[in-house]
Amino acid sequence: MAMEAAVIEKLIKEGIPDATVEIADLRGDGDHYAALVTSASFKGKSRVQQHQMVYAALQGRMGGELHALALTTAVPEGA
């Protein structure tokens, strides 16, 4: 079962409240997304740790409801 982009964004924002989230449906099928997640809480963390924070926010839905997510994380400028 596919997951809607709005649900992905909601889950990430609930798990990382200061995050800005941009979601793109890569194939138009609701199964393959790209996400840019920007958060000051990523500051000082490795890229792996940043991605782990996003995956934790998705509450185990990766590989199930959410088939594929090309993830990019960033720290906002000035943070």
Side-chain angles (χ1 to χ4, degrees):
M1 180 173 208
M3 180 180 272
E4 292 184 22
V7 175
I8 297 168
E9 182 176 353
K10 178 180 175 284
L11 288 169
I12 293 171
K13 286 184 174 183
E14 286 175 354
I16 308 170
D18 74 321
T20 58
V21 182
E22 297 174 33
I23 305 284
D25 188 340
L26 296 175
R27 294 190 184 170
D29 61 3
D31 251 355
H32 298 82
Y33 291 100
L36 170 59
V37 182
T38 305
S39 171
S41 64
F42 294 152
K43 187 174 183 176
K45 295 186 170 38
S46 71
R47 188 76 58 203
V48 170
Q49 290 170 319
Q50 294 172 15
H51 286 211
Q52 288 171 335
M53 289 172 67
V54 175
Y55 293 139
L58 293 171
Q59 304 172 3
R61 288 176 171 88
M62 275 301 304
E65 292 173 69
L66 181 54
H67 176 72
L69 180 65
L71 181 58
T72 303
T73 53
V75 175
E77 289 191 31

